[in-house]
Amino acid sequence: MANGLELEAQLVVTWDGDAIQIAASGTYLIVNFPSQRVLDKLTSGPPKDPNAPPKPRNAPKIDPLQQLNDLALRLGLVMDLRVAGKTHVTFGTGRSPKITINAVLGKIGSFFRGN
């Protein structure tokens, strides 16, 4: 297991015309999405295939947020996921990810916006 992974980086990733900023200093990592729309688009997953077989009912449920938090803890990193500069989720500071009120309000607001 890694003990205290340290990073120094500044990166801008352009995805589908939107700039996603990534910055790291020491054990702190910040990922900033320009808007809730970009985060929703990125996390929506691949398009649904109508011909795909149905998933089994007893399939284990995987929580991607918990997996990311566990990885951050193992690497000794704190990851701050932001949308438009406001922290939405912090990973690696405890047993579970810390979800802020900004995330809840942003997600609720995204339901009322049109595509």
Side-chain angles (χ1 to χ4, degrees):
M1 299 287 173
N3 188 10
L5 180 66
E6 293 203 15
L7 304 169
E8 289 296 326
Q10 291 184 354
L11 178 67
V12 175
V13 177
T14 303
W15 185 72
D16 209 16
D18 296 303
I20 301 167
Q21 302 165 333
I22 302 169
S25 181
T27 60
Y28 201 78
L29 176 68
I30 298 171
V31 179
N32 186 41
F33 294 92
S35 68
Q36 184 70 40
R37 177 191 58 80
V38 175
L39 179 61
D40 290 344
K41 188 167 55 169
L42 185 67
T43 58
S44 65
K48 305 291 185 235
D49 181 5
N51 299 326
K55 292 182 182 179
R57 289 181 183 242
N58 295 337
K61 302 221 181 206
I62 298 171
D63 182 2
L65 293 178
Q66 187 62 49
Q67 285 185 323
L68 194 53
N69 191 69
D70 293 345
L71 178 62
L73 284 171
R74 271 189 256 132
L75 295 175
L77 295 174
V78 174
M79 185 177 118
D80 190 358
L81 188 140
R82 298 179 181 185
V83 175
K86 295 178 183 171
T87 298
H88 275 226
V89 184
T90 303
F91 301 95
T93 58
R95 291 177 16 174
S96 62
K98 306 272 188 284
I99 300 172
T100 67
I101 191 69
N102 290 328
V104 175
L105 295 176
K107 191 64 182 168
I108 290 171
S110 72
F111 287 124
F112 296 103
R113 287 186 210 109
N115 288 335

